[in-house]
């Protein structure tokens, strides 16, 4: 079968690999009908989240049809149409019973203190082969999949595998309350869903900060107020928009691959640039970008702590920050002194998919929210590497890439 496989930093390939098999009674095999490319996948190719294990299949978002279940899997049968959670959870440990499924004590093969286990990730998360493939093995299947109603399409459901739940979780981490002014840093697909989720959770205003016009246009289409950090100082703009108070809640939907401003009043000084360059070397010491200029491929973000600094500076005293943008274990720079002096509450982490997703499935099934408008690219699995490259370059309009045609390849 075809699968997108990680071979090294800057080296991913569409390979022929063996079809997966049941390895544990709690496994299921799912025939994938939709997958997707996420910004998190780019961290692995850029080298900002390591180490990876060569040969790992990438991807942590998928919809498909169950083809086989292990003897211990109850509640699912071959032929069931399912959405697969990005994070893996057993359903029986104390964290799963509290709904904190991202910290399942059992799912991560590295042991209970290893943290989140998710598909297609680095060694510390398993590794577990990912979902950009024709068939996949789903460990702990009865708690890592959800059945799909007939009136939720595959295209809607692919955004329920990770992106919509993660955006919703980000708004929860930020403690969004009715009437809040919420700032979302990052207008990629996670930021778009964080903005939509903030509105659904009661925000009075949502301000979205990014440096790419097409992404800001997508946020504006959701009736967000937008700030281009290349034209304005985002911190000053947020203060101006809030009568000098700052935001009630901030969601960091960018993470370690943040870009520093290249022009305008927020452009960094030589001293700040040198500090950021040192951070890049710390978080991605083995990065090796290809090419030059705008066509440069697999380049780590050049401002790893930029959004962290802006978030702390732009939130009000006693404000709340929720971090869902990915920061790897080598990222160690955070403005903790300024945060403490403002009495901030900062929460972060990987989404508890299994407990967060079911109400969102119901929301989509009821027609209360249609996520498909935010899918901007539809590519066949045969074009996956080219799609990765375009998405990595942040080409205009590329917000979310859906991988289709996985079923036809098996015919």
């Amino acid at each position: 079968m075809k699968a997108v496989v990680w071979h090294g930093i800057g080296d991913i390939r569409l390979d022929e690999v063996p079809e997966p098999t049941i390895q544990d009674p709690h496994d299921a095999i799912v025939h994938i009908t939709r997958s997707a490319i996420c910004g998190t996948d780019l961290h692995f190719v850029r080298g900002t989240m390591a180490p990876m294990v060569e040969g790992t299949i990438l991807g942590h978002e998928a919809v498909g049809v169950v083809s086989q279940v292990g003897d211990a899997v109850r509640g699912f049968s071959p032929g069931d149409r399912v959405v697969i959670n990005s994070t893996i959870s057993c359903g029986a440990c104390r964290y799963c019973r509290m709904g904190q499924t991202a910290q399942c004590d059992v799912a991560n093969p590295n042991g209970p203190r290893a943290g989140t286990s998710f598909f297609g990730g680095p060694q510390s998360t398993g590794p577990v082969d990912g979902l950009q493939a024709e068939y996949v093995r789903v460990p702990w299947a009865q708690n890592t999949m959800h059945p799909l109603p007939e009136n939720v399409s595959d295209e809607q459901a692919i955004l329920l595998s990770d992106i919509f739940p993660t955006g919703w979780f980000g708004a929860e981490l930020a403690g969004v309350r009715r009437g809040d002014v919420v700032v979302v840093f990052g207008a990629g697909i996670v930021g778009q869903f964080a903005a939509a989720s903030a509105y659904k959770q009661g925000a009075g205003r949502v301000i979205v900060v990014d440096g790419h016009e097409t992404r800001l246009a997508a946020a504006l289409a959701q009736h967000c107020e937008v700030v281009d950090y290349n034209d304005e100082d985002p911190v000053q703009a947020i203060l101006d928009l809030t009568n000098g108070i700052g935001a009630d809640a901030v969601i960091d939907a960018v993470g370690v691959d943040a870009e520093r401003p290249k022009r305008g009043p927020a452009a960094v000084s030589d001293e700040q640039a040198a500090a950021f360059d040192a951070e890049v070397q710390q978080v991605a010491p083995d990065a090796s970008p290809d090419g030059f200029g705008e066509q440069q491929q697999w380049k780590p973000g050049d401002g790893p702590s930029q959004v962290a600094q802006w978030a702390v500076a732009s939130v009000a005293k006693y404000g709340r920050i929720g971090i869902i943008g990915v920061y790897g274990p080598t990222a160690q720079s955070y403005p903790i002194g300024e945060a403490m002096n403002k009495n901030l509450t900062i929460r972060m982490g990987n989404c508890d998919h299994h407990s967060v997703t079911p109400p969102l499935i119901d929301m989509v099934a009821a027609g209360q929210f249609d996520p498909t408008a935010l899918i901007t690219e539809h590519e066949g699995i045969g074009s996956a590497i080219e799609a990765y490259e375009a998405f990595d370059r942040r080409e205009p309009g590329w917000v979310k890439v859906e991988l289709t045609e996985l079923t036809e390849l098996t015919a």
Side-chain angles (χ1 to χ4, degrees):
M1 68 171 187
K2 297 284 188 185
V4 178
V5 179
W6 189 95
H7 287 276
I9 293 171
D11 183 5
I12 55 172
R13 308 172 199 171
L14 186 64
D15 288 347
E16 284 283 348
V17 301
E19 290 188 9
T21 59
I22 297 288
Q23 299 179 19
D24 182 275
H26 294 279
D27 290 349
I29 304 299
V30 177
H31 182 194
I32 301 301
T33 57
R34 290 288 190 279
S35 188
I37 300 173
C38 178
T40 301
D41 299 324
L42 296 178
H43 294 313
F44 311 137
V45 192
R46 292 170 179 164
T48 50
M49 192 169 179
M52 290 284 288
V53 175
E54 185 174 359
T56 300
I57 297 172
L58 292 177
H60 53 267
E61 301 170 85
V63 177
V65 177
V66 176
S67 63
Q68 188 180 356
V69 295
D71 291 342
V73 177
R74 301 171 185 261
F76 289 96
S77 304
D80 287 345
R81 187 165 152 268
V82 296
V83 58
I84 302 172
N85 296 330
S86 295
T87 51
I88 302 165
S89 56
C90 74
C93 72
R94 68 188 185 104
Y95 288 104
C96 287
R97 295 182 189 201
M98 292 187 291
Q100 297 168 339
T101 57
Q103 294 301 325
C104 173
D105 263 344
V106 176
N108 195 322
N110 295 299
R113 295 189 59 80
T116 307
S117 181
F118 63 89
F119 291 98
Q123 186 175 18
S124 61
T125 67
V128 179
D129 273 331
L131 307 180
Q132 292 168 5
E134 296 177 69
Y135 287 85
V136 302
R137 181 180 73 90
V138 180
W140 301 103
Q142 65 197 49
N143 212 62
T144 305
M145 306 188 302
H146 295 284
L148 286 170
E150 291 184 3
N151 63 337
V152 173
S153 70
D154 280 7
E155 192 165 60
Q156 291 173 320
I158 189 59
L159 295 169
L160 291 161
S161 182
D162 179 32
I163 299 301
F164 193 3
T166 295
W168 190 272
F169 188 65
E172 288 184 338
L173 288 177
V176 173
R177 302 167 184 166
R178 187 172 64 189
D180 273 353
V181 176
V182 178
V183 170
V184 177
F185 282 100
I189 191 64
V190 174
Q192 300 290 342
F193 275 92
S197 298
Y199 272 134
K200 289 288 185 183
Q201 292 180 29
R205 297 167 64 192
V206 178
I207 302 167
V208 175
V209 180
D210 201 284
H212 295 268
E213 290 185 7
T214 53
R215 294 181 176 190
L216 290 170
L220 189 61
Q222 293 200 75
H223 307 291
C224 300
E225 302 166 53
V226 298
V227 174
D228 186 335
Y229 63 68
N230 287 310
D231 292 336
E232 303 178 82
D233 181 325
V235 175
Q236 188 59 54
I238 292 163
L239 292 175
D240 291 343
L241 290 166
T242 58
N243 296 336
I245 297 170
D248 300 296
V250 170
I251 302 170
D252 174 354
V254 181
V256 73
D257 269 315
E259 293 280 328
R260 64 203 193 209
K262 304 302 188 294
R263 63 177 190 275
V268 300
S269 66
D270 290 344
E271 182 180 358
Q272 290 172 312
F276 280 142
D277 290 343
E279 287 180 11
V280 174
Q281 182 59 34
Q282 180 186 57
V283 301
D286 299 319
S288 183
D290 292 335
F292 300 92
E294 293 183 359
Q295 295 304 306
Q296 190 173 35
Q297 204 75 65
W298 318 125
K299 180 181 76 69
D302 60 10
S305 66
Q306 178 67 90
V307 169
Q309 295 175 23
W310 282 342
V312 170
S314 61
V315 74
K317 294 184 294 184
Y318 269 102
R320 307 173 304 278
I321 297 175
I323 304 173
I324 48 173
V326 173
Y327 290 88
T330 55
Q332 297 181 9
S333 178
Y334 198 85
I336 191 166
E338 184 180 357
M340 183 173 183
N341 199 45
K342 294 177 74 172
N343 281 55
L344 302 186
T345 297
I346 303 169
R347 301 174 66 202
M348 66 197 80
N350 299 306
C351 179
D352 296 318
H353 286 94
H354 192 75
S355 59
V356 172
T357 301
L360 305 185
I361 295 175
D362 293 343
M363 187 183 298
V364 172
Q368 297 173 4
F369 183 71
D370 183 5
T372 57
L374 292 168
I375 298 176
T376 57
E377 309 298 327
H378 304 76
E379 300 289 335
I381 186 69
S383 303
I385 305 306
E386 292 82 357
Y388 258 96
E389 292 171 347
F391 189 43
D392 171 71
R393 292 192 299 266
R394 301 175 177 87
E395 292 192 356
W398 283 64
V399 176
K400 186 60 178 177
V401 184
E402 177 189 45
L403 295 178
T404 61
E405 301 176 15
L406 282 85
T407 52
E408 288 80 355
L409 287 168
T410 62

